[in-house]
Amino acid sequence: MLPGVGVFGTGSTARVLVPMLKAEGFEVHALWGQSEDEARCLAEELSIPFHTSRSDDVLLHPDVDLVCIYIPPSMTRQIAVKALGIGKNVVCEKAATAVDSFKMVTAARYYPQLLSMMGNTLRFLPAFVAMHKLLADGYIGEMQVCDVRVYGPSLLDHSYGWTCEELMGGGGLHTVGSAIIDLLSFLTGARASRVHGLLRTFVQQKGLIRGIRRITSDDFCFFQMLMGGSSSSSSGVCCTVMLNFNMPGSFVHEVMIVGSSGRLVARGTELYGQRNGSRSEELLSGGGGWAGPESKDMPLPHLQGLSAMVKALRQSFQAHEERRSWARGPVALAPTFEDGLYVQTVVEAVKRSSGSGEWECVEVMSQEPDPNHNLCEALQRNKN
């Protein structure tokens, strides 16, 4: 039996997620919006029977057992932790900081019987599922280099909001780069040990965002990651990622992995391969077109991946009574809250590197930091 769903968010993801959930047999019982008007308008548009701007009204709804959270990153941790604490399954987007991510991990560990997964839809895109299998089967030999390029129009909202603020989780690195960091870990089976990055905000004011308000979120980001090996070792897979959201025209999404005997490259939703000695690429996955809903605000790889994720959710809940474990079955592909903590740690290391100009080590938090630690250090320095 499929659980009833409560959706947090009224943005572009929620607009396409609700019809996908309904198409797979889920009943969406409740919708939360930051204002009553936002919630009411989208609930009427998508035929959702209950709407509210009070989070507890959704979490305590008697028919809601699965909560999908697609709201500003600064609010994600609070809702996700509370949802798990009252026995709800959770699918959510990224948090704003590594500390918030750690608190989500702690909550998930207390309730292992509940589903707790990050909503990085790229892992479910058929092209990347096929790439993951081919890499494991040795299609390209030993992995050496990953090269990712994502170009597109501005990620900013028309009015001033969280997307404009770096501290609230806005910007290309946090919004899109985090999905790429997670994807590369999924594909390579390794995690970054060191990173080096550069962030820029080329557009600081535009349209209604002007005067004393300035945009602080990045619209250009370039970073390198050394995957696997130790922080002092030169071994491992070398990854380069370039994100540019000042590009007019169509969205470009390309992920290429080169190995000792060939390469695999995903362009949009299609996967191509070429072995050493071959004169041309071969189409390995995709190319059949997309018959699902359209969204002008969501690129096709993320849209098609979201559809595949919803199908995996339906299959997993239908079989869960027999397996009693989320670690097997379709959602085993999904990133866990632990993966979310790792990704946020890499994002913050890239930001530190952009400020310092140096390579930064990636050290995932094992316990929540003491909030008084930095204050004590500052007082000690002043004393000396």
Side-chain angles (χ1 to χ4, degrees), residues 8-290:
F8 282 81
T10 56
S12 57
T13 302
R15 287 179 178 276
V16 295
L17 174 64
V18 171
M20 288 178 180
L21 288 167
K22 290 182 176 181
E24 291 298 321
F26 290 93
E27 292 189 33
V28 181
H29 294 285
L31 176 75
W32 175 92
Q34 286 189 275
S35 71
E36 286 288 343
D37 286 342
E38 284 184 2
R40 176 181 53 78
C41 289
L42 189 60
E44 291 175 355
E45 178 184 333
L46 300 178
S47 301
I48 299 173
F50 177 79
H51 67 271
T52 181
S53 61
R54 291 167 50 89
S55 60
D56 286 355
D57 290 346
V58 175
L59 295 176
L60 298 175
H61 194 291
D63 296 323
V64 170
D65 292 303
L66 170 64
V67 176
C68 299
I69 306 171
Y70 291 89
I71 55 180
S74 59
M75 304 169 63
T76 298
R77 183 265 304 167
Q78 178 184 357
I79 304 298
V81 170
K82 184 179 287 189
L84 289 169
I86 59 177
K88 309 292 185 180
N89 300 288
V90 174
V91 178
C92 73
E93 274 288 0
K94 62 197 77 65
T97 67
V99 173
D100 283 351
S101 296
F102 184 83
K103 291 178 179 178
M104 290 166 57
V105 168
T106 301
R109 288 173 179 169
Y110 272 115
Y111 307 101
Q113 74 278 13
L114 297 173
L115 174 67
S116 55
M117 58 178 266
M118 305 300 296
N120 182 13
T121 61
L122 291 181
R123 285 199 184 199
F124 291 90
L125 184 68
F128 290 125
V129 174
M131 180 184 277
H132 181 263
K133 184 177 186 304
L134 288 167
L135 289 169
D137 292 343
Y139 182 93
I140 66 169
E142 182 181 357
M143 284 182 279
Q144 297 170 338
V145 175
C146 302
D147 184 71
V148 181
R149 298 175 186 275
V150 180
Y151 303 146
S154 174
L155 299 173
L156 299 174
D157 294 330
H158 296 295
S159 58
Y160 190 83
W162 73 269
T163 59
C164 304
E165 284 286 346
E166 180 264 336
L167 292 177
M168 294 182 67
L173 172 62
H174 198 278
T175 306
V176 178
S178 58
I180 296 299
I181 293 166
D182 176 72
L183 176 66
L184 291 177
S185 179
F186 168 67
L187 293 174
T188 64
R191 289 186 167 186
S193 56
R194 292 188 297 159
V195 298
H196 187 277
L198 174 68
L199 281 71
R200 287 290 183 268
T201 304
F202 288 107
V203 178
Q204 298 185 2
Q205 291 187 334
K206 62 181 293 186
L208 300 176
I209 308 168
R210 56 178 64 250
I212 62 172
R213 286 179 168 174
R214 288 188 175 273
I215 299 165
T216 60
S217 56
D218 61 281
D219 51 25
F220 173 85
C221 179
F222 173 80
F223 62 94
Q224 301 165 289
M225 298 189 295
L226 181 61
M227 308 284 287
S230 65
S231 60
S232 60
S233 172
S234 59
S235 63
V237 182
C238 300
C239 300
T240 63
V241 179
M242 180 176 290
L243 312 172
N244 188 350
F245 298 101
N246 296 294
M247 300 281 287
S250 59
F251 185 82
V252 175
H253 194 282
E254 181 176 295
V255 177
M256 179 168 62
I257 301 184
V258 181
S260 58
S261 59
R263 68 186 177 106
L264 289 166
V265 54
R267 297 189 184 97
T269 60
E270 298 177 342
L271 176 65
Y272 297 87
Q274 185 174 5
R275 296 180 186 272
N276 291 352
S278 175
R279 294 186 177 182
S280 61
E281 296 178 336
E282 58 176 331
L283 179 63
L284 301 174
S285 175
W290 169 244

